[in-house]
Amino acid sequence: MSKILFVMTGADHWTLADGTQHPTGFWAEEAVAPYEAFKAAGHEIVVATPGGVVPTVDKGSLAAEVNGGQENADRVAGVLAGMAELRQPVRLEDVRLDDYAAVFYPGGHGPMEDLAVDTVSGGLLVDALESGKPLGVVCHGPAALLAAVKDDGANAFAGYRVAAFTNAEETQAGLAGQAKWLLQDRLTEAGVEVQVGEPWAPHVIVDRNLVTGQNPASSAPLATELLNKLA
């Protein structure tokens, strides 16, 4: 058994272009599906957030329509309620990468607010990438990659192939027109090669030790790929 670090957003809102705050946090499925997979494989999970704040679930991610019906929505909510690690996060500032076998970043719009500009998280990502340890990032989680800037000013993930929440999906979700910036655009500007799959369909990219997923449906297959790297 080894320890896997979940780096999660501490934000409970996403500031839109007009300055209004859109309530958000992390997306339930993107935490629950990997959590269940990693636990079933015998691994220990440690949650870290900026400042050690308890992460907020995006209430929209608990709705029946995004969970394939009410029965599964209730199941997901039940798993979240049982995730003691969520209620006892460590401070991201205190994390030692050497203590973990792998690192995973779930999404939700929260990372667009805090992890996208968090230098502690950015430094951890640079170190994790260079360490060769399995690193998984899904949906809006790749916003955190924007803060992974090396000493020479270049993004550590420039030249890597990734999957991330796409402009098309943000548009279909209804928030693209209100956003200050779009994730696919910013990653591309940073030199990251975003490979776009079908909207809302599972799409996972593996490039060296980096495993990325495009959307919530990619969470479970991403976890499988990460476990393969730990085997």
Side-chain angles (χ1 to χ4, degrees):
M1 186 181 82
S2 55
K3 287 202 289 189
I4 298 177
L5 179 70
F6 272 43
V7 180
M8 301 182 67
T9 179
D12 62 4
H13 67 273
W14 177 33
T15 305
L16 301 176
D18 65 359
T20 59
Q21 295 186 351
H22 174 73
T24 187
F26 70 89
W27 197 260
E29 181 180 359
E30 296 167 24
V32 166
Y35 178 88
E36 290 185 304
F38 299 153
K39 281 285 197 175
H43 298 292
E44 181 183 344
I45 307 295
V46 175
V47 171
T49 62
V53 303
V54 174
T56 299
V57 64
D58 188 315
K59 288 183 173 56
S61 69
L62 299 174
E65 56 267 28
V66 298
N67 285 290
Q70 191 60 50
E71 184 178 348
N72 194 54
D74 291 343
R75 189 193 70 80
V76 167
V79 175
L80 281 178
M83 288 171 64
E85 298 91 343
L86 285 175
R87 295 184 291 279
Q88 301 169 324
V90 301
R91 284 167 32 94
L92 184 57
E93 296 83 352
D94 297 335
V95 164
R96 291 180 65 258
L97 181 62
D98 289 347
D99 294 339
Y100 301 94
V103 179
F104 172 67
Y105 279 68
H109 280 109
M112 302 276 281
E113 183 75 19
D114 61 353
L115 297 181
V117 293
D118 191 297
T119 55
V120 174
S121 170
L124 177 71
L125 283 165
V126 173
D127 293 343
L129 193 66
E130 293 177 349
S131 75
K133 292 182 180 187
L135 171 61
V137 195
V138 70
C139 199
H140 287 93
L145 308 188
L146 298 171
V149 179
K150 297 188 292 187
D151 291 341
D152 63 3
N155 190 286
F157 294 85
Y160 276 77
R161 295 178 297 110
V162 307
F165 202 69
T166 63
N167 290 357
E169 286 166 322
E170 202 73 82
T171 299
Q172 291 174 22
L175 286 167
Q178 300 168 260
K180 288 182 181 178
W181 50 273
L182 298 177
L183 180 56
Q184 181 183 334
D185 292 344
R186 278 287 177 90
L187 289 170
T188 301
E189 290 164 9
V192 182
E193 185 182 336
V194 181
Q195 299 199 333
V196 176
E198 287 296 317
W200 313 110
H203 180 56
V204 174
I205 298 290
V206 180
D207 189 346
R208 289 156 275 188
N209 60 315
L210 177 65
V211 185
T212 50
Q214 180 171 308
N215 45 37
S218 306
S219 304
L222 182 152
T224 299
E225 293 288 351
L226 211 64
L227 286 171
N228 288 341
K229 288 188 171 293
L230 282 170

